[in-house]
Amino acid sequence: MAEPIPIIGGTGALGYGLALRWARAGAEIVIGSRKPERAEEAAERIRTELPDARVEGLVNEQAAKRGSIVFLTVPFRAQSETLNNLREALEAGQLLVDCTVPTAAAISGKATRTVGVWQGSAAQQAQEMVPDDVTVVAAMHTISAPSLTDLDHELDEDTLLCGDRKADKARVAAIVESIPGLRAVNAGALETARIVEQLTPLLISINIRYKAHAGIRITGLPDASPWD
């Protein structure tokens, strides 16, 4: 991972947790936020916890230009506005990894319910909104933010990757799996995100009842790489 990993919405729970884990793994991180002072504040928190971390905070539009694979970790209610603001910043050939889940919490409902998206999923909506030469891959929908931010917690779970090109998913998988304990699973085309996004409210419901931060693990997969 020679180039930085930009995380748009990196001041939120999931984005910050990912930034923390990747920083500990030695990656260079760029935290994006609508307000640069909030981005820098989050970066400083990481540097306090991990003094050797290479992390900086920038406004979203600047952060998006810093790497070829950009992670979008904003709440669903902010997805459209954020992508509209990024249209001039995203460049041809970039991958946008959409981690958005259309839960009803975005409209003052329950996080254990989803809302309908005309395009079929938040990831497919993102693909319609980004520039033509930018490709969307969906990922990270089942990873618990509290588990990520607790560096004493050993991760042991999968994240399902949805995208239309195996080569794109392979590039994202390499970044995902640089976090110890995470495995990327090829879940199929981008349209499959409409199923994967539904797993988030399901896990929230389970975790409320068990007072846990459980993830998922797909069993019975062969050892051979799905990206070859």
Side-chain angles (χ1 to χ4, degrees):
M1 292 185 296
E3 66 176 13
I5 303 174
I7 304 175
I8 307 303
T11 58
L14 177 62
Y16 181 81
L18 290 171
L20 192 63
R21 290 281 178 162
W22 276 318
R24 189 171 72 165
E28 183 179 351
I29 305 301
V30 182
I31 291 178
S33 176
R34 289 179 302 147
K35 298 181 178 179
E37 61 272 18
R38 288 195 62 207
E40 182 52 37
E41 179 184 341
E44 182 58 30
R45 285 169 56 201
I46 292 177
R47 287 192 290 264
T48 298
E49 190 160 358
L50 301 169
D52 294 331
R54 296 178 296 157
V55 55
E56 63 179 319
L58 298 172
V59 69
N60 283 332
E61 290 82 355
Q62 294 175 335
K65 293 179 175 292
R66 295 293 304 280
S68 62
I69 301 178
V70 181
F71 283 76
L72 180 67
T73 62
V74 299
F76 179 65
R77 64 180 177 273
Q79 188 202 44
S80 293
E81 180 184 359
T82 302
L83 289 176
N84 277 329
N85 292 336
L86 289 177
R87 283 195 63 84
E88 299 301 320
L90 293 172
E91 300 175 352
Q94 281 185 303
L95 295 180
L96 179 77
V97 184
D98 184 75
C99 309
T100 312
V101 178
T103 64
I107 51 174
S108 300
K110 294 184 177 180
T112 53
R113 298 177 183 172
T114 54
V115 296
V117 182
W118 178 259
Q119 293 82 352
S121 67
Q124 290 169 292
Q125 176 172 277
Q127 185 64 79
E128 283 196 2
M129 297 189 67
V130 297
D132 291 341
D133 293 329
V134 174
T135 302
V136 172
V137 173
M140 298 298 193
H141 301 97
T142 60
I143 308 299
S144 162
S147 295
L148 289 170
T149 54
D150 179 6
L151 292 180
D152 292 328
H153 176 77
E154 293 188 7
L155 300 173
D156 181 24
E157 55 191 286
D158 294 334
T159 184
L160 305 178
L161 269 56
C162 306
D164 292 334
R165 294 182 67 249
K166 185 165 64 173
D168 295 334
K169 288 181 284 188
R171 292 174 62 197
V172 175
I175 297 178
V176 168
E177 293 181 349
S178 68
I179 297 178
L182 289 190
R183 181 179 66 168
V185 173
N186 187 349
L190 190 66
E191 67 177 6
T192 311
R194 67 185 67 189
I195 300 171
V196 176
E197 290 172 6
Q198 302 288 323
L199 296 177
T200 302
L202 173 64
L203 282 172
I204 291 172
S205 181
I206 292 171
N207 285 327
I208 287 173
R209 286 157 178 79
Y210 283 85
K211 297 180 174 58
H213 300 297
I216 65 169
R217 170 65 83 175
I218 307 299
T219 63
L221 296 180
D223 293 333
S225 170
W227 317 112
D228 294 336

